[in-house]
């Protein structure tokens, strides 16, 4: 072959090779596109995701850098719950195309489904760096941060989002949800101050939100910021929100402030404006009684003695009672006719409260031996759930003798029943006088003024008003007594009580007598 022919042959071979290579590349591209088309068909119409995954993988074998196929494969992994594979695939895409919108959205979802919330939030940020006006991604990132309880970051993002999309309904809904979650977390952690701050922020932004309003009122009440609680209640009332609930809360807060009379006036007005409300009517009835801060009372008791030639004893009493926030004050004047001797006794009594406990204080002076000349009583009561304990002292002066005794008691409520066991210990010269009293009550209608009572006692009791004047004769002598009584409220503002007592008293070694006492008491509240 001549040189000329050889050169021609070589030229033709080169041209043929180029044509063949170009044809192969073209065929390769067509093959990748066809595989993508088939994969999309299996995905969108047939929803045969496994078949689509195989086709996508084949397409990538043919064209490893085919972007649409890589993104489709990441999506298919998401649809089939293969979240880790989705993350790996989409990460390759984002390494080459960090602003690819579909890849970023799929990556957010893949990390979220894989429970990697921090990475999901990070890819939301990456997305927003390129596309800051995409509201859906703002909402998604804030919701993820809320779920992570990263409240500071979520609130910061919320402020930025609200600047971009003011008055957006979807963001407003999410904002409320975020603040409620933050406040609930604070309550779980018993951080009531942070919870109050968050609920207040929520109420400031969404003034008609009743849940936030009620929570603010409740937390202010819990923290004893009663004035602030009332301010929120009045603001809501002016906006015509849920008047029944608000008025009931206003009554409750006013009561907690110790203003029973004012609370009654509010309930009275509320009952007139919402006559159909059974709750308001019920509390109005209760407050009618609680607001009666003043009471006047009279009582009379007579004692018949057998066997004896003595005339019966008569005791008359007049009292005034005043109830205040700090407790109750009582002034009392008694007149007695006993053993042909008469006299007066003047008493001051108080029941001051100390948070969850309270005290009993009584001081009395008499001008005749028919009463102890001086008397001082003090007891401290500590209630605990259905139990109540008492410790105290009693001082009695009977002309020339002084008697100092001590008392302790334990009481227990059993539903409407109340039982109390009390003991008195009184030193007397070289002797030690002991007495015991067991009391029981059955309360009617849930009222402390309405009850049946039964009392059994042994020994001398300095609290037994009918028999604590003959101290010398009674202190170290045996005595057994029983009392029954019934007390009832009449016409809402009146209380009537009737009591009877039998006392078997030893005076000397072999001398006993029976004492029969009947008493009636009446109080009027105003």
């Amino acid at each position: 072959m001549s040189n000329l022919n050889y050169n021609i042959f070589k030229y033709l071979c080169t041209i043929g090779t180029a044509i063949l290579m170009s044809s192969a590349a073209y065929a390769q591209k067509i093959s990748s596109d066809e595989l993508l088309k088939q994969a999309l068909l299996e995905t969108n119409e047939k929803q045969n995701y496994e078949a689509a995954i195989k086709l996508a993988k084949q397409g990538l074998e043919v064209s490893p850098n085919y972007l649409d196929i890589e993104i489709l494969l990441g999506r298919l992994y998401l649809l089939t719950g293969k979240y880790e594979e989705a993350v790996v695939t989409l990460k390759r895409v984002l390494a080459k195309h960090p602003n690819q919108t579909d890849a970023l959205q799929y990556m957010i979802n893949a990390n979220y489904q894989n429970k990697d919330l921090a990475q999901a939030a990070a890819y939301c940020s990456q997305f927003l760096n390129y596309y800051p006006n995409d509201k859906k991604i703002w909402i998604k990132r804030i919701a993820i941060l809320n779920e992570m309880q990263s409240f500071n970051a979520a609130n910061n993002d919320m402020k930025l989002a609200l600047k971009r999309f003011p008055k957006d309904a979807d963001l407003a809904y999410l904002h409320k949800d975020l603040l409620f979650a933050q406040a609930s977390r604070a309550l779980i952690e018993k951080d009531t101050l942070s919870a109050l701050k968050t609920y207040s922020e929520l109420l400031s932004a969404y003034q008609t939100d009743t849940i936030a309003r009620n929570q603010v009122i409740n937390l202010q009440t819990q923290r004893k910021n009663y004035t602030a609680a009332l301010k929120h209640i009045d603001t809501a009332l002016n906006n015509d929100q849920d008047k029944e609930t608000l008025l009931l809360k206003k009554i409750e807060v006013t009561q907690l402030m110790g203003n029973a009379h004012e609370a009654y006036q509010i309930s009275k007005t509320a009952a007139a404006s919402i006559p159909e409300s059974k709750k308001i009517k019920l509390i109005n009835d209760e407050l009618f009684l609680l607001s009666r801060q003043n009471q006047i009372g009279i009582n009379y008791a007579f004692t018949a003695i057998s066997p004896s030639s003595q005339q019966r004893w008569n005791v008359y009493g007049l009292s005034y009672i005043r109830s205040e926030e700090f407790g109750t004050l009582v002034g009392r004047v008694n007149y007695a006719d006993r053993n042909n001797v008469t006299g007066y006794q003047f008493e001051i009594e108080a029941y001051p409260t100390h948070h969850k406990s309270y005290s009993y204080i009584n001081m009395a002076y008499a001008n005749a031996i028919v009463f102890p000349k001086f008397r001082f009583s003090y007891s401290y009561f500590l209630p605990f759930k259905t139990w109540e304990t008492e410790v105290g002292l009693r001082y009695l002066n009977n002309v020339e003798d002084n008697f100092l005794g001590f008392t302790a008691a334990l009481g227990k409520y059993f539903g409407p029943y109340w039982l109390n066991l009390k003991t008195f210990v009184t030193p007397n010269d070289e002797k030690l006088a002991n007495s015991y009293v067991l009391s029981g009550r059955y309360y009617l209608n849930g009222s402390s003024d309405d009850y049946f009572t039964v009392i059994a006692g042994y020994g001398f009791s300095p609290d037994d008003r009918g028999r604590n004047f003959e101290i010398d004769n009674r202190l170290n002598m045996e005595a057994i007594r029983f009392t029954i009584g019934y007390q009832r409220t009449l016409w809402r503002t009146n209380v009537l009580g009737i009591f009877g007592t039998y006392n078997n008293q030893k005076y000397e070694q072999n001398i006993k007598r029976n004492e029969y006492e009947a008493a009636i008491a009446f109080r009027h509240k105003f």
Side-chain angles (χ1 to χ4, degrees), residues 88-161:
V88 171
T89 301
L90 294 166
K91 191 176 288 187
R92 286 200 304 267
V93 174
L94 292 173
K96 295 175 286 187
H97 307 279
N99 63 341
Q100 216 292 323
T101 55
D102 290 334
L104 283 169
Q105 290 189 43
Y106 295 153
M107 182 63 100
I108 293 167
N109 294 337
N111 280 284
Y112 181 82
Q113 295 296 339
N114 205 32
K115 302 187 185 307
D116 192 344
L117 301 183
Q119 278 298 314
Y123 280 107
C124 285
S125 296
Q126 183 174 332
F127 189 106
L128 292 170
N129 285 336
Y130 294 107
Y131 312 103
N133 291 321
D134 192 309
K135 187 186 75 173
K136 290 183 179 180
I137 300 300
W138 278 106
I139 289 175
K140 185 168 289 189
R141 174 172 161 80
I142 294 167
I144 291 171
L145 291 172
N146 185 20
E147 189 173 342
M148 293 169 63
Q149 297 188 356
S150 299
F151 298 121
N152 289 335
N155 278 313
N156 290 334
D157 276 15
M158 178 60 72
K159 290 176 183 177
L160 294 172

Side-chain angles (χ1 to χ4, degrees), residues 54 74 102 118 193 252 275 286 303 310 323 358 362 379 395 416-417 437 459 465 467 489 519:
K54 289 181 181 178
D102 290 334
L193 187 60
E252 178 191 345
E286 293 175 355
T303 302
Q310 293 183 13
S323 298
Y358 66 98
N362 179 281
S379 281
Y395 169 77
Y417 295 93
V437 180
R465 293 175 176 272
R467 279 154 287 279
T489 300

Side-chain angles (χ1 to χ4, degrees), residues 437-458:
V437 180
L438 178 63
S439 303
R441 285 184 183 180
Y442 173 68
Y443 288 99
L444 307 168
N445 307 319
S447 170
S448 60
D449 285 325
D450 298 354
Y451 58 81
F452 288 101
T453 185
V454 177
I455 303 171
Y458 172 82

